[in-house]
Amino acid sequence: MQNHDELDDILSEARHMLGGDKPDRNVPYTGAKRVVRSASARNRQAERYAVPLAQEDPYEEEPYAEPYRQPPAKRRKKRHWFRNLLFALLLLGAAGAGLVLMLAKQPTAKNSLGARKRGVSTVLLAGVDQDGQRTDTLMLLRVGGGTAGLVSIPRDTLVNGSYTVPKINGVYGVNGGGTEGTDMLLQRVGECVGFRPDGLLLVDLEGLAELVDVMGGVRFDVPQDMYYDDPSQNLHIALDAGEQRLDGAQAVGLVRFRSGYAEADLKRTEVQRDFLRAAAKQWVGPGLVAKFPALLSWAKKYVETDLSTANLIWLGLALVKGDHGFETAVLPGTAANILGGSYYVLNPEAVAEIVNQYCNPYERAVTVDDLFIRN
């Protein structure tokens, strides 16, 4: 123990010589430099040199008057403005996300196929031509439950009805467009796939172009050179093959081009699905939620739909929560010439298989008996 005490003394002296000692705040300042040792240290020193402590210690304390001590200055409280701002933004973000979730409502159509798969809906995507009558682009989108499914319905598909040209792309226009045209189009598609889709989004070409521009374009690998000019349709396509960023006008040209394909409309539907898949991969993500107001405004201007705002919010959230991928297919069929017209006739057995794999929102599988295909 004594060795430890001596070591403490040596270290104390060394710290003092190096200026490392901090003054004791309990000892008053008298104007002179003072060396203050503990009582035990002074006693040990007196015993070592046999000198009375009173004679040896020149710093023996004398009575003194307590000097005036200026109270320590108050520390300024730090203003953590950035932390507070971040916290406030997080609260607002959480509140906003909660509000969005509260507003969202899944679209569901009345069908007789029984129980639905939880959180799964189907929406028919339709693109109309410049005159707003023919739906030359038709895709059935399944969302919810992981990877989305996207199934193309060829524009020349033969359908039921007493139309002069009973193709699916003419159903909307023949029935006057609007609510009646939408309802009949959903009915005819339901006959082809075995159930009525839960909603429809119909977009014209101008709306597609603006959407692509608003979202910053789409990086896409154009499969071949595409050159086509038709002043009567105001259609001017000039695209070189290869990967590039497409703006709105170029995207419209891409999805409308078909005259240069060996497989004509079937190849066009494939390119359309590939384009939509690329756009979804680049656009859909957590950041999409922040664009909901702009997208809802765009939809109000360019989209005709039977879905409510709450349904549209649900659809956007379902896409964001998914894995941002698409499984794609086309309804199987064969080309046929009927009374001098070119048609696409669906194959019921193959259609049922594709529907169940890619876009069936019901627990029960679709069978051939559920289909009402004209052949």
Side-chain angles (χ1 to χ4, degrees):
M1 177 66 74
Q2 185 177 355
N3 291 337
H4 288 296
D5 290 338
E6 290 179 356
L7 182 58
D8 289 341
D9 290 341
I10 293 171
L11 292 174
S12 178
E13 291 289 343
R15 285 196 297 268
H16 169 65
M17 293 176 63
L18 293 173
D21 275 343
K22 293 183 179 179
D24 189 347
R25 295 185 181 272
N26 294 322
V27 178
Y29 178 71
T30 60
K33 187 173 182 180
R34 306 179 69 243
V35 178
V36 180
R37 297 188 180 91
S38 66
S40 62
R42 292 200 302 272
N43 290 336
R44 287 195 304 274
Q45 186 179 26
E47 292 174 0
R48 187 180 305 158
Y49 296 103
V51 177
L53 182 61
Q55 296 179 18
E56 188 272 342
D57 188 359
Y59 301 109
E60 186 67 23
E61 297 182 6
E62 297 179 358
Y64 62 91
E66 182 73 25
Y68 171 75
R69 250 186 227 192
Q70 185 175 1
K74 291 184 178 180
R75 287 187 177 181
R76 293 187 62 185
K77 202 170 186 179
K78 291 184 179 180
R79 298 181 181 274
H80 299 287
W81 62 270
F82 180 76
R83 182 187 64 190
N84 295 337
L85 176 61
L86 181 61
F87 183 66
L89 290 176
L90 288 174
L91 284 177
L92 289 174
L99 181 61
V100 169
L101 289 172
M102 289 176 62
L103 291 175
K105 182 179 180 182
Q106 180 180 355
T108 55
K110 293 182 179 179
N111 284 284
S112 58
L113 296 185
R116 299 179 64 99
K117 297 175 183 175
R118 182 169 180 173
V120 179
S121 289
T122 58
V123 176
L124 182 64
L125 307 179
V128 294
D129 60 11
Q130 194 166 6
D131 62 13
Q133 296 297 307
R134 291 184 298 274
T135 54
D136 285 342
T137 299
L138 284 173
M139 300 182 190
L140 189 58
L141 171 67
R142 186 208 71 231
V143 293
T147 304
L150 193 65
V151 177
S152 293
I153 305 172
R155 54 173 274 175
D156 293 332
T157 297
L158 180 67
V159 294
N160 298 293
S162 56
Y163 319 125
T164 303
V165 182
K167 296 182 179 182
I168 199 165
N169 73 328
V171 172
Y172 176 77
V174 168
N175 287 278
T179 302
E180 292 184 6
T182 295
D183 184 70
M184 185 55 67
L185 179 58
L186 288 171
Q187 178 179 325
R188 296 304 182 204
V189 170
E191 293 170 355
C192 294
V193 300
F195 56 87
R196 183 184 177 98
D198 299 308
L200 177 142
L201 293 173
L202 189 144
V203 185
D204 62 23
L205 296 175
E206 183 182 355
L208 173 62
E210 182 163 324
L211 175 63
V212 172
D213 287 336
V214 166
M215 298 301 289
V218 177
R219 193 81 185 169
F220 187 74
D221 189 4
V222 179
Q224 67 178 59
D225 290 341
M226 297 181 180
Y227 291 95
Y228 184 79
D229 191 73
D230 185 353
S232 64
Q233 298 185 60
N234 193 28
L235 180 59
H236 310 282
I237 304 173
L239 292 173
D240 295 327
E243 186 173 335
Q244 55 199 283
R245 181 167 293 279
L246 303 178
D247 61 22
Q250 292 170 324
V252 169
L254 175 83
V255 300
R256 294 191 67 186
F257 182 81
R258 72 167 185 161
S259 62
Y261 295 138
E263 298 172 280
D265 195 54
L266 288 180
K267 180 63 177 179
R268 181 173 73 161
T269 61
E270 178 185 337
V271 172
Q272 290 172 347
R273 294 193 305 274
D274 290 343
F275 175 78
L276 189 56
R277 181 164 48 189
K281 186 176 181 180
Q282 295 168 44
W283 295 349
V284 176
L288 183 64
V289 176
K291 296 183 179 180
F292 273 4
L295 290 174
L296 289 174
S297 177
W298 168 82
K300 184 177 180 181
K301 183 178 179 181
Y302 290 106
V303 178
E304 183 177 332
T305 181
D306 59 345
L307 298 175
S308 67
T309 300
N311 294 151
L312 294 174
I313 292 174
W314 182 91
L315 179 61
L317 289 174
L319 289 171
V320 170
K321 290 189 294 184
D323 60 12
H324 309 163
F326 281 90
E327 297 175 338
T328 65
V330 60
L331 289 186
T334 56
N337 186 290
I338 302 174
L339 300 176
S342 298
Y343 291 86
Y344 185 79
V345 181
L346 298 177
N347 181 323
E349 291 79 9
V351 165
E353 183 177 345
I354 289 295
V355 167
N356 289 322
Q357 182 176 353
Y358 293 96
C359 59
N360 185 1
Y362 293 90
E363 295 286 353
R364 180 172 76 78
V366 169
T367 68
V368 173
D369 292 337
D370 298 314
L371 306 178
F372 188 42
I373 291 175
R374 183 176 180 178
N375 54 18

